[in-house]
Amino acid sequence: MTATEMTGSGGKPRMARLLVVDDSVSIVRMTTALLTSAGYEVESAASGEAAFEKFLAGSYDLVVSDITMGALSGVQLCRLIRNDPATADVPVVLLTGADDPRSRFWARSAGVSAYVAKEAMRHTLVAEVARALDRSRALERKSTGAPQTTTSMERLCRVLDDVLFDAVIASEVRQLVSAADHNAFAHAIAELAGDVATYAYLRVRLAGPRTPKFVIHARDPWPSDDKIGLGALGVPEGADVETIATGPTGPDIQVRPTESFSFPIHAGQELLGEITAFSGSKPVGVSDRATLALLARELGMVAKTQFLIEQTKLLAETDALTGLYNRRRINSTLELEVERARRHHHSFSVLISDIDHFKSVNDRFGHNFGDEVIRRVAATLQRSVRRIDVAGRWGGEEFVVLMSDTPLEGAKVVADRIRAEVEALPPLEGGPDRITVSIGVAMYDEKGTPIELIERADHALYLAKGGGRNRVELALEKRQTPPDKVGAVQGQPERKGEAAPPNR
């Protein structure tokens, strides 16, 4: 097949048919002569409006248009062609008499195939047209086919509406970066998807600074026990999941998706997550898939920005050695949890653990072994608590766990488990044979302050140390905070007042 031929009906070659558009008669004559002499079949129009009418009524393989005309410019004509799926792959070559950067950028953003300066047209136009047609053949482009039945005004209105819809989606997505955290961001994505697309179930998966986050939006029936439905939607066991069920729920409901469509969220080559829509009683139509694909594309850099914000916040709130929250984050969360427990009359417990004989570990084996002991205890503590609990390094060899909706007895069960699992850790080669911790536990009584709650847990820890270590002690009664200990709770590294047992 030659450069001037296209595939016709039945696979037979035919002459490529071109439409030339310019409001200058002389330019139209010159362009037509160049392309005709190169072997192309050429028709012409004197304005963007006339060209659009011809394009709708005919079947063309490529359009050559002036960039600046009357009411409808070449860029606008290109956008009209590009924004209709039936003609989106028709190449458009734009001509201009002024080779300025703004015009080149605007033409490129419209999806132009080539950009030719009129003063160089005699030498470059035919070659650019041939290259554009070759690229369209590589994409297995089909002809525009049968004449369009819509009027140019109807087509224009539809394209403008599509462009406006895309712009609004992009604007809505940009606002999501103000989400408070990873969970709120994933939730906001699911809510926006629910506003613009139809589906039975939607799964949003986000990567990020911490563990992957899943949000499920269920419009079809959803079981009362979330775990029953998650497997059918490809959510791994034990994942961090939030479910938004807007359809009927019940104990005996089964999730039955029929087909799924996934749309990755990328920032460059980095995969940040995906949106997956499932059909059920509600199908995921072509327009829904196009909208969700647009949403995923727009989310790329927004998600990257959100993750960077979260990463920065984590660095400010995380202990570098253990990866647990630091004292600043623990203090701020403690205040929120105390306020929540006071307002809603919920149980709230705190445990403070301390590595036994830690000073002798550092003195005998060195600080590198001491750091490794701290890391191993921190990892054990993190494994032993719930996702909703907040674990952090309080300072040195001390750790704190904030346990919402947990009475004293339940907190003691967790503390006993932590103590036993630390004791069962295998010995460090070249280090201490055995690691143990002492733990103090206190429950908020709806009357005291965060400082007093920490002081009560700290006093229980003091009793565990004095009672022989490797123990759990409960703070059974509220204790007033001695004046000389307030500073320690608010951030001073050393305790004052009650002396700890020697060699903690």
Side-chain angles (χ1 to χ4, degrees):
M1 186 180 296
T2 68
T4 60
E5 291 178 336
M6 301 294 289
T7 302
S9 59
K12 297 180 179 179
R14 60 173 178 80
M15 299 301 294
R17 191 168 180 230
L18 313 185
L19 178 61
V20 172
V21 191
D22 202 300
D23 53 5
S24 168
V25 175
S26 61
I27 293 296
V28 168
R29 286 175 181 170
M30 182 190 302
T31 307
T32 301
L34 286 170
L35 296 173
T36 301
S37 63
Y40 295 106
E41 180 183 340
V42 182
E43 293 188 20
S44 64
S47 68
E49 303 93 296
F52 191 42
E53 293 284 357
K54 273 197 168 188
F55 187 83
L56 290 178
S59 176
Y60 298 94
D61 300 299
L62 181 141
V63 175
V64 178
S65 174
D66 187 13
I67 196 171
T68 304
M69 294 182 288
L72 191 67
S73 71
V75 173
Q76 291 167 336
L77 177 61
C78 183
R79 288 189 183 277
L80 288 171
I81 294 171
R82 283 282 181 265
N83 279 276
D84 190 322
T87 61
D89 51 3
V90 176
V92 177
V93 176
L94 291 184
L95 305 175
T96 181
D99 189 15
D100 65 287
R102 186 179 187 280
S103 296
R104 188 176 292 275
F105 167 78
W106 199 231
R108 186 172 65 250
S109 69
V112 67
S113 301
Y115 184 90
V116 176
K118 287 183 179 179
E119 58 267 26
M121 189 168 62
R122 292 181 183 275
H123 309 291
T124 60
L125 178 60
V126 172
E128 290 291 355
V129 166
R131 277 194 288 269
L133 286 172
D134 283 343
R135 286 193 295 268
S136 79
R137 289 191 190 99
L139 296 173
E140 300 183 353
R141 192 191 68 75
K142 297 179 181 179
S143 168
T144 53
Q148 301 287 325
T149 58
T150 57
T151 67
S152 59
M153 182 56 68
E154 289 171 338
R155 177 87 168 275
L156 178 60
C157 290
R158 187 174 72 241
V159 169
L160 290 176
D161 189 62
D162 289 343
V163 170
L164 179 60
F165 180 81
D166 291 356
V168 171
I169 289 287
S171 176
E172 291 288 326
V173 167
R174 284 193 294 271
Q175 294 179 43
L176 299 185
V177 79
S178 61
D181 55 29
H182 208 56
N183 294 345
F185 184 59
H187 188 105
I189 292 173
E191 286 189 332
L192 179 55
D195 287 340
V196 298
T198 298
Y199 46 78
Y201 306 100
L202 185 88
R203 185 189 72 208
V204 176
R205 181 188 67 83
L206 289 181
R210 287 188 178 270
T211 56
K213 169 70 179 182
F214 290 83
V215 171
I216 302 296
H217 180 203
R219 284 174 165 153
D220 266 18
W222 187 254
S224 301
D225 183 355
D226 280 356
K227 294 180 180 179
I228 297 176
L230 295 176
L233 302 183
V235 178
E237 185 176 353
D240 184 7
V241 185
E242 177 186 356
T243 303
I244 308 168
T246 56
T249 60
D252 301 320
I253 290 175
Q254 292 186 354
V255 176
R256 293 189 175 92
T258 56
E259 58 181 341
S260 63
F261 306 91
S262 291
F263 309 94
I265 300 171
H266 283 108
Q269 299 299 313
E270 185 178 3
L271 180 62
L272 302 177
E274 66 181 2
I275 300 171
T276 304
F278 298 83
S279 295
S281 64
K282 298 177 177 64
V284 182
V286 174
S287 63
D288 298 310
R289 298 199 291 273
T291 299
L292 292 173
L294 169 66
L295 179 59
R297 286 196 303 273
E298 293 292 340
L299 276 167
M301 292 311 299
V302 174
K304 182 66 173 178
T305 302
Q306 178 72 28
F307 292 173
L308 288 174
I309 291 172
E310 289 188 35
Q311 185 66 49
T312 301
K313 185 183 295 185
L314 278 176
L315 289 174
E317 297 179 341
T318 304
D319 173 61
L321 180 63
T322 64
L324 298 180
Y325 286 124
N326 60 21
R327 188 169 185 141
R328 176 190 299 176
R329 174 61 185 267
I330 290 292
N331 273 324
S332 62
T333 305
L334 176 63
E335 292 179 0
L336 294 175
E337 287 291 349
V338 165
E339 181 60 31
R340 177 173 174 267
R342 181 186 295 125
R343 182 182 300 114
H344 301 291
H345 308 292
H346 289 169
S347 300
F348 170 55
S349 295
V350 171
L351 66 83
I352 298 181
S353 67
D354 184 280
I355 301 174
D356 296 326
H357 301 296
F358 184 73
K359 185 177 183 302
S360 65
V361 172
N362 274 335
D363 291 345
R364 181 179 176 186
F365 301 102
H367 288 281
N368 287 337
F369 274 104
D371 287 349
E372 181 59 26
V373 167
I374 288 175
R375 279 193 290 264
R376 297 184 73 187
V377 171
T380 304
L381 185 145
Q382 187 72 72
R383 288 194 305 268
S384 303
V385 300
R386 304 167 300 177
R387 289 183 181 274
I388 63 171
D389 298 330
V390 178
R393 186 180 179 192
W394 191 241
E397 69 274 22
E398 283 190 334
F399 302 90
V400 170
V401 180
L402 311 180
M403 310 181 70
S404 60
D405 299 317
T406 306
L408 192 65
E409 296 78 10
K412 183 179 185 303
V413 171
V414 175
D416 283 330
R417 182 168 64 246
I418 292 171
R419 185 206 59 76
E421 290 188 8
V422 169
E423 187 179 17
L425 288 172
L428 281 167
E429 184 178 353
D433 294 332
R434 181 168 173 260
I435 304 170
T436 63
V437 294
S438 300
I439 303 175
V441 185
M443 185 178 77
Y444 180 63
D445 58 10
E446 298 187 24
K447 296 178 182 179
T449 66
I451 290 175
E452 290 171 341
L453 178 61
I454 288 291
E455 279 295 314
R456 292 171 55 216
D458 193 54
H459 179 69
L461 171 61
Y462 177 84
L463 295 178
K465 290 284 188 180
R469 300 182 179 85
N470 194 22
R471 296 167 52 88
V472 174
E473 290 287 347
L474 305 181
L476 299 179
E477 297 180 0
K478 177 181 175 182
R479 299 176 61 253
Q480 296 298 320
T481 306
D484 59 351
K485 297 199 69 175
V486 174
V489 176
Q490 292 179 325
Q492 299 300 321
E494 298 292 334
R495 285 191 179 85
K496 299 179 181 179
E498 297 173 278
N503 191 13
R504 294 170 60 89

